Amino acid sequence: MSKSMKRVMSLLLTLCMVLSLCVIASAETSDRVKTQMEGLGLMVGYEDGDFGADDELTRSQMTMIAARLLQLEELSLGSNPFSDVAEDHWASGVIASLSDLGIVNGVGNGLFEPERSLTYPEAIKILVEVLGYGDLAKEQGGYPSGYVMQASRLGLLKGIAAGDGVITRGSVAEMLYNALSIKPIGAHFMQNYLEPTYTLYEILTENKDLVRITGILTETATASLVATEPGLKEGYVIVNGKRLKTDAFMDAYLGYELTVYATVDESDRPVAIKSFFVTPNTSVTEATSEDTTWSGNTATILTAEDKEEEIEVPGTAKILYNGRLGSFSDIYYGSYTFIDNNDDTVADVLRIDEAQSFIVDKVNAAKATVYFKNNATLNGRR
């Protein structure tokens, strides 16, 4: 073959990949792929033992698969943003959660079309977003060509018989199998953006040996939402009523709803936090006292765009003032953090941080410790 012909073929293959998503066809979905999918709980076959590799997959089913990858299948944001997804739809919660994360999108006019058959470009876009490479795909042209290029670079399309039409369960399983050897980046899997450490397979298999807990972080060694004075030792926190050991400094997440993965003891009781993230249910608004006016229990915040945002702080909300339980009478100056854990524009927790002054008595460089005069304390510490 001449050099000019090779260049033409190369160009045609590139255009095929980007525009038509033509990729080398693979053989029938292999047993190792099926076994891996079922073993990880990502996809399961039918009761008669058939995997259904040639069957089509709906948009809602793919959303559930993405939720399983992220281990978010039990989360729900409440009301769904799409008019054609009923509240009692079996996938309503994950569609709402993954839409909030930007992993799945509607089709316009407030519709999601949950029962429409999934297409190849849609499947590719979802998996690229799950793996954390969505921003890179957008830099290459966005949907669909940028996502296809990024998926190809990651090796996501290896051996896939693809097009721009409807995708089969078998092809989705093959993509998922390829994804297992990719190292995700970004917050979805608590991975570094610049130097990802673990492959998706390593993350999923490690988490299978952990227990998952979702709930409010109510107490650390220095602050508490449930007691006047915290009663925990350094290195412990309480999430959803469970006392857990942690190596992370988690004070900044007090009042947030978290999902944590914890190791267990011989009795299967959760012991220590391995990783955690803030759930999609939680929204946080930060403001200074200068930008906030109060009318009863409603705060009106002037945003950076000179717009006003109202947040209700009901009497049932927890008020944390400089790390200690307080009340509205303590609201004067400082910075506010309004924590809404169910996305209803009503704050469940209001954290108030006001500047404090201390006189330093001595400093121990070896212990990285500062000691205050007059037995002064900061967040309960001398």
Side-chain angles (χ1 to χ4, degrees):
M1 185 182 293
S2 67
K3 289 184 179 180
S4 60
M5 180 60 72
K6 288 181 180 179
R7 284 196 294 269
V8 170
M9 289 298 293
S10 177
L11 177 60
L12 287 174
L13 286 172
T14 302
L15 288 173
C16 180
M17 180 187 71
V18 174
L19 300 178
S20 302
L21 310 184
C22 301
V23 189
I24 299 173
S26 65
E28 185 180 350
T29 306
S30 67
D31 289 338
R32 74 176 185 280
V33 172
K34 298 174 186 175
T35 301
Q36 196 72 277
M37 293 304 101
E38 293 177 344
L40 292 173
L42 300 178
M43 295 180 70
V44 295
Y46 303 130
E47 292 183 358
D48 61 3
D50 183 20
F51 188 76
D54 295 328
D55 293 348
E56 297 176 0
L57 205 66
T58 66
R59 283 167 52 81
S60 56
Q61 287 171 335
M62 185 64 197
T63 305
M64 179 58 77
I65 290 173
R68 290 169 183 161
L69 284 169
L70 297 167
Q71 298 191 312
L72 299 177
E73 64 267 33
E74 295 176 6
L75 292 183
S76 172
L77 286 175
S79 59
N80 201 287
F82 303 108
S83 61
D84 60 343
V85 180
E87 289 187 8
D88 59 354
H89 187 281
W90 66 271
S92 176
V94 296
I95 290 173
S97 297
L98 269 66
S99 172
D100 186 67
L101 291 172
I103 292 173
V104 300
N105 301 106
V107 297
N109 299 319
L111 302 176
F112 187 77
E113 296 185 354
E115 305 311 319
R116 175 170 65 74
S117 295
L118 183 77
T119 66
Y120 277 92
E122 289 170 339
I124 291 168
K125 188 264 183 184
I126 290 173
L127 290 180
V128 169
E129 288 286 355
V130 165
L131 293 168
Y133 291 87
D135 287 343
L136 292 175
K138 293 181 180 73
E139 292 175 2
Q140 298 171 76
Y143 183 82
S145 60
Y147 283 91
V148 177
M149 292 176 67
Q150 185 60 46
S152 180
R153 290 176 176 175
L154 290 171
L156 195 62
L157 304 181
K158 180 181 178 182
I160 306 297
D164 51 10
V166 172
I167 194 171
T168 63
R169 281 172 50 88
S171 291
V172 170
E174 293 282 354
M175 284 190 196
L176 290 170
Y177 186 81
N178 292 337
L180 295 177
S181 60
I182 297 172
K183 293 181 179 180
I185 58 176
H188 295 326
F189 294 101
M190 301 291 290
Q191 295 293 289
N192 190 301
Y193 274 99
L194 299 177
E195 297 180 1
T197 307
Y198 302 105
T199 65
L200 178 60
Y201 178 78
E202 291 170 331
I203 294 170
L204 293 177
T205 52
E206 179 176 286
N207 284 348
K208 284 181 73 68
D209 296 327
L210 305 176
V211 63
R212 184 178 62 187
I213 302 167
T214 298
I216 308 297
L217 174 60
T218 56
E219 190 166 336
T220 69
T222 60
S224 175
L225 289 177
V226 295
T228 305
E229 294 289 336
L232 294 177
K233 294 181 179 180
E234 188 75 26
Y236 286 88
V237 296
I238 293 179
V239 178
N240 197 30
K242 296 178 174 59
R243 179 177 175 272
L244 302 167
K245 184 174 177 59
T246 179
D247 293 327
F249 183 75
M250 298 179 64
D251 289 54
Y253 298 97
L254 194 71
Y256 287 53
E257 184 180 67
L258 304 177
T259 291
V260 304
Y261 293 97
T263 58
V264 296
D265 61 16
E266 60 277 1
S267 300
D268 289 333
R269 292 176 299 186
V271 175
I273 294 175
K274 186 73 174 180
S275 62
F276 70 93
F277 59 88
V278 180
T279 71
N281 297 345
T282 299
S283 60
V284 177
T285 302
E286 296 181 338
T288 63
S289 56
E290 291 83 0
D291 295 327
T292 307
T293 57
W294 291 89
S295 177
N297 286 16
T298 300
T300 301
I301 300 167
L302 183 64
T303 68
E305 295 79 21
D306 290 330
K307 296 180 181 179
E308 291 187 346
E309 178 181 353
E310 288 190 353
I311 300 178
E312 182 185 351
V313 184
T316 55
K318 297 289 187 179
I319 310 295
L320 199 67
Y321 182 79
N322 281 348
R324 291 294 177 268
L325 283 175
S327 65
F328 272 100
S329 62
D330 297 318
I331 299 178
Y332 296 108
Y333 306 104
S335 62
Y336 302 142
T337 302
F338 301 86
I339 305 172
D340 174 8
N341 285 313
N342 50 15
D343 204 33
D344 59 0
T345 70
V346 175
D348 301 295
V349 179
L350 170 58
R351 290 173 44 177
I352 308 164
D353 294 296
E354 190 173 9
Q356 296 173 270
S357 299
F358 300 91
I359 300 175
V360 175
D361 183 31
K362 61 181 179 178
V363 176
N364 186 325
K367 295 183 178 181
T369 303
V370 174
Y371 297 89
F372 303 130
K373 278 192 173 182
N374 305 320
N375 293 324
T377 60
L378 173 64
N379 289 339
R381 297 180 182 178
R382 291 183 57 184

